[in-house]
Structure formats: C-alpha cells, structure tokens
Amino acid sequence: MAKDYGEVELFGVGGSPFARRVQIALELKGVQYTYFEEDLRNKSDLLIKYNPIHKKVPVLVHNGRPLAESLVILEYIDETWENHHPILPQQPYDRALARFWSRFIDDKCMPAISKAAFTADKEERDKGTEESLESLQILENVLKHKFFGGETTIGIVDIAAGFIAFWLPAIEEAVGLKLLTNEKFPKLYKWGEDYTNHPVVKKNLPQRDRVVGFFKARYASITASK
Amino acid sequence: MAKDYGEVELFGVGGSPFARRVQIALELKGVQYTYFEEDLRNKSDLLIKYNPIHKKVPVLVHNGRPLAESLVILEYIDETWENHHPILPQQPYDRALARFWSRFIDDKCMPAISKAAFTADKEERDKGTEESLESLQILENVLKHKFFGGETTIGIVDIAAGFIAFWLPAIEEAVGLKLLTNEKFPKLYKWGEDYTNHPVVKKNLPQRDRVVGFFKARYASITASK
C-alpha cells in the first residue's frame, strides 16, 4: 500500500491551463486529492486566504499548507511523491534545462501567443505573431524525442507546454489564426497530438468547445473596445 | 582536497544584479571559476553561442555545457556542489516557498521598482511606487530571521533579493526616490545592511558610484525622451 501523505486539496478553474498542469502531475503520480472549482469573478475566501499574494489558481494545499504558482507546485509534487513517475530528470544539468524550458514557455511563448491573438493594435498583433513563430521554432528545435521528457516520459516541460498542445489550437480556431501547423512545425505538431492523447492528459483537459467559446468572447471584447 | 568538478566559466557584466547572484553563489560554495566580463553593446560570439535564446548574462558554462537564467543557475549550483553551504532548504515545502519568493522578487518587485523609477509617465510612475511599496511590505512580513534563508544562512531568496539590498538604494539616490526606509520597513532595511555586509556578498558587489552613475544616465535618457 502507498505511504500515506495526508490530505491534498487543489483549487483550480476548469479552463485554466495552469490548474490543469497540477491535476495532470497529481494524477501521473497517482496522488489522491480533492478538487475545488473556483469562480474567478467571485473568488472564495479560502482561495484569498491560501494565495493572498497573487489571488490566483492553482493553489495546492497539502496537509493545510498552501502553495501557489504552477511550476513551483509541480516541483513540490515531484519532490514529495518521489517514487512514482519522475517529472523532473535526475541529473542536475538536465533538471536545469527542464526548468529553463518550462520558464521559457511561461515567459516567452504564452505572452507572445496572447499578444498575437488578443491585441487590438494590428502592429502589436503582427509582432506577437512573429514572436510566437520564433518561440515555436525554438521548441521545435529542442524537441528530440516523442516527449520533451523523453521517448516514453511526460516531464515538466511537456506539462508546462500543454498550453501549446491544447489551448493554442483552441485560440487559433476562435480568432482565425494559424501558428502551430504540421507544415511549419512537424515535430511539435505531432507532439501536441501525442500529448493530448496520453490517457492521463486526455482525462484532464477541459471541453474543447467551451474553451473555444471562452476565447471567442475574449476576442470579441477586445475587437469591440478598439 | 575538494572533489574536482572540472571547468567553470561565468559570463557576466559587473553591474548586473543577475550576474552577481551567480558569483555570490559560486563563492559561498567555494567553487573556482573563470569570469568573463561582457560588453552588452558588443556581445561576444561566445555569449551568443552559449545563450542563443535570450543573449543575456549571466551564463554559466560547466565543462562546456552552458546554462542561462540566474535562478536556474543558482539551483544547478546548489545541486552540483551540494556538500557546502546549501542555497535551498532541505524540505520540499520550504524549497517550494524559497522558489516562490525568488520568483516573486523577479516577477513582481523588480518590475515594480523599475516602473517607479524609470517611467516617463507620472501616473505610471506613481502606480509603480505603490506596487513597489506593496511588494516590499510583503517581503517585510515574510522575513522571520536575520536572513530569508535563516538566522545564519544566506539562501536563494537572499541572493535573489540582493537587488533590493544594493541596487534599490542606488536607484533611490540616482532618481530621488524613497522606497526602502528604516521607518517603513525596519526588518527589510536591517536585512539589507546585514546582507551587503556579509563578506562574500560585499566582495562581489559593484562600485556603488558607478551603479548610481548608470542609473542617473538611464533616468536622464527617460526624462529627456518625455
């Protein structure tokens, strides 16, 4: 029987790529947890209490002790439930690269894609498209195996890049943009299919039409306020 | 005799708080390294080769393998030279908090201070000041010992927060701003003094008048382009 690690709670929002990262990590590890769905327009007192700094999801609460920031939580999960499905590599240099690329996705890719899709100003939007394509090309070059974590292993970079595999195609559909194509980025495109078809990932993705609807509304609100 | 870990090279810029983080970590660990001073207006081919993604300092090269991003490098140093002066705590939850607060300094504090000091628009600048004071208050509340790493230990949060201890007062002098005062933030102010007086830190800080001069020039260029 598995060692008892106590109570695990997760505060998330169904459509959030950051909250889904944590769910996928917990389920890859086989950790039992209780999930609390938040309403970001009406945040719960518990969410404010547990994440007073950023007041954002996800928040993981383990035996009453809260943690915020998805990449920080992923490393915590890996260090706490260390015997099953490693999320980070073992060697310090490989671990450092995994941290570097996870941050690259958060700090470069996601802001570029958001700029390309949801900026009112045409010039800014074009700049966002260019930056997105550059970022995707960099990831295309970095991907050496089926997954970023290896031939058979989903690692922290895969989990972080889930946004590119699932949310980016939904954004493309919602706003009529084409960034991640099979022609331009064959390895990354194939990775996106493999990643979203992994049983643990698949089970933890939101409903695609709802996500597309969310991005359509976001796009409409931006083009309306031009 | 110490285990031979091979060749360690660091590419930095004397005035960069990010490069200084890495130097302080290497010297706390007692790691021998070769330092290369970069000219950011005329970056070396080696820097471009080793950090093609961001083309920024610091870059650590260990036995020919390059790493960028100061916080990623600090964790690598801690995992590689693990027997002397731990930079991260041992327990997963404490490690996660250390990562959270290091990121908070990079993602919230530093941009807020930069906005408060180096924005042409008065309204934006006031907003930056407000955000800076909020961030400093949060750190004031988090600081429970002499150092963030403990009563006697400089840890990753101290090293990350070096910007607040040394560069912030230089910015204040250069642009005529007062944020980190003994009256408002007595614990953080005292921490700044203790941190910059630690022998390893003191030895690895740039010349204050040059840093003030750099920020004066930056401020002048911004007010001139108003």
Side-chain angles (χ1 to χ4, degrees):
Chain A
M1 215 185 111
K3 191 168 152 189
D4 182 11
Y5 285 97
E7 194 182 21
V8 179
E9 298 164 303
L10 174 63
F11 293 76
V13 165
S16 159
F18 302 104
R20 295 295 176 154
R21 287 177 177 175
V22 178
Q23 284 191 282
I24 289 166
L26 288 171
E27 299 203 14
L28 284 172
K29 292 277 189 185
V31 177
Q32 297 289 319
Y33 65 99
T34 310
Y35 178 77
F36 297 89
E37 177 75 11
E38 281 290 325
D39 175 359
L40 292 185
R41 287 158 304 183
N42 181 23
K43 294 173 184 176
S44 74
D45 294 344
L46 274 179
L47 179 66
I48 309 286
K49 176 185 154 196
Y50 285 139
N51 188 6
I53 307 301
H54 302 303
K55 302 179 186 70
K56 289 194 294 197
V57 296
V59 172
L60 185 82
V61 185
H62 186 197
N63 291 325
R65 300 199 295 183
L67 270 182
E69 296 284 294
S70 66
L71 295 182
V72 169
I73 297 172
L74 292 186
E75 290 218 43
Y76 175 77
I77 290 171
D78 203 35
E79 292 182 355
T80 302
W81 292 276
E82 57 189 344
N83 295 328
H84 187 57
H85 195 110
I87 292 173
L88 272 91
Q90 288 306 298
Q91 293 303 313
Y93 187 73
D94 298 332
R95 292 166 71 79
L97 289 184
R99 290 183 182 118
F100 178 87
W101 291 116
S102 312
R103 284 287 156 195
F104 175 79
I105 289 158
D106 279 14
D107 298 343
K108 296 282 169 186
C109 274
M110 292 177 74
I113 290 167
S114 181
K115 193 154 103 179
F118 302 113
T119 314
D121 182 65
K122 167 95 171 64
E123 206 173 310
E124 271 298 289
R125 214 160 58 226
D126 289 348
K127 221 172 116 190
T129 299
E130 195 185 314
E131 288 167 10
S132 299
L133 293 172
E134 275 170 23
S135 297
L136 295 175
Q137 186 62 56
I138 288 168
L139 291 177
E140 173 83 4
N141 298 343
V142 165
L143 186 59
K144 303 289 184 209
H145 304 281
K146 183 174 176 182
F147 297 114
F148 288 98
E151 209 43 49
T152 55
T153 315
I154 287 179
I156 191 169
V157 182
D158 296 283
I159 298 172
F163 177 80
I164 293 166
F166 181 80
W167 282 263
L168 173 55
I171 290 174
E172 292 180 333
E173 187 184 327
V175 313
L177 192 66
K178 266 288 158 212
L179 294 170
L180 179 60
T181 61
N182 190 23
E183 292 68 39
K184 276 205 196 92
F185 310 110
K187 287 193 293 174
L188 200 58
Y189 187 87
K190 172 77 165 56
W191 164 84
E193 291 189 328
D194 289 338
Y195 183 70
T196 50
N197 280 317
H198 184 286
V200 170
V201 175
K202 197 170 192 167
K203 177 171 166 281
N204 281 291
L205 291 175
Q207 265 184 278
R208 190 185 153 102
D209 55 347
R210 292 188 62 174
V211 174
V212 172
F214 170 82
F215 287 130
K216 274 189 176 162
R218 188 168 161 195
Y219 185 65
S221 78
I222 281 152
T223 46
S225 66
K226 239 195 291 200
Chain B
M1 213 185 110
K3 190 168 152 190
D4 182 10
Y5 283 97
E7 194 181 22
V8 179
E9 299 164 302
L10 174 64
F11 292 77
V13 166
S16 158
F18 301 104
R20 295 293 176 156
R21 287 176 176 176
V22 178
Q23 283 191 283
I24 288 165
L26 288 171
E27 299 202 13
L28 285 171
K29 292 277 189 184
V31 177
Q32 297 291 318
Y33 65 98
T34 310
Y35 178 77
F36 297 88
E37 177 74 12
E38 281 290 326
D39 176 359
L40 292 185
R41 286 159 304 183
N42 182 23
K43 294 173 184 175
S44 74
D45 293 344
L46 274 178
L47 180 67
I48 309 284
K49 176 186 152 193
Y50 284 139
N51 188 5
I53 307 303
H54 302 304
K55 303 179 185 70
K56 290 195 292 197
V57 296
V59 173
L60 184 82
V61 185
H62 186 197
N63 291 326
R65 298 198 296 183
L67 271 183
E69 296 283 296
S70 66
L71 296 182
V72 169
I73 297 171
L74 293 186
E75 290 218 43
Y76 174 78
I77 290 171
D78 203 36
E79 292 182 355
T80 303
W81 292 277
E82 57 190 343
N83 295 328
H84 187 57
H85 195 110
I87 293 173
L88 273 91
Q90 288 305 299
Q91 293 303 313
Y93 187 73
D94 299 331
R95 293 167 69 81
L97 289 185
R99 290 184 182 117
F100 179 88
W101 291 115
S102 312
R103 284 286 157 196
F104 175 79
I105 288 157
D106 278 15
D107 296 345
K108 296 281 169 189
C109 274
M110 293 178 72
I113 290 167
S114 181
K115 193 155 105 180
F118 302 113
T119 314
D121 182 64
K122 168 96 171 64
E123 205 173 311
E124 271 298 287
R125 214 161 57 227
D126 290 347
K127 220 172 119 190
T129 298
E130 194 184 314
E131 288 167 11
S132 299
L133 294 172
E134 276 172 23
S135 297
L136 295 175
Q137 186 61 57
I138 287 169
L139 290 178
E140 173 83 3
N141 298 344
V142 166
L143 186 60
K144 303 287 181 211
H145 304 282
K146 183 174 177 183
F147 297 114
F148 288 97
E151 209 43 49
T152 55
T153 314
I154 287 180
I156 191 168
V157 182
D158 296 283
I159 298 173
F163 178 80
I164 293 166
F166 180 80
W167 281 264
L168 173 55
I171 289 173
E172 292 181 334
E173 186 184 327
V175 312
L177 192 66
K178 267 287 157 215
L179 295 169
L180 180 59
T181 61
N182 190 22
E183 292 68 39
K184 277 205 195 90
F185 309 111
K187 288 193 293 174
L188 199 58
Y189 187 87
K190 173 76 165 57
W191 163 84
E193 291 188 329
D194 290 337
Y195 182 70
T196 51
N197 280 318
H198 184 286
V200 170
V201 175
K202 197 169 192 167
K203 176 171 168 282
N204 281 292
L205 291 175
Q207 266 185 278
R208 190 184 152 103
D209 55 348
R210 292 187 63 172
V211 174
V212 171
F214 171 81
F215 287 130
K216 275 190 176 162
R218 189 170 161 193
Y219 185 64
S221 79
I222 280 151
T223 45
S225 65
K226 242 197 284 201

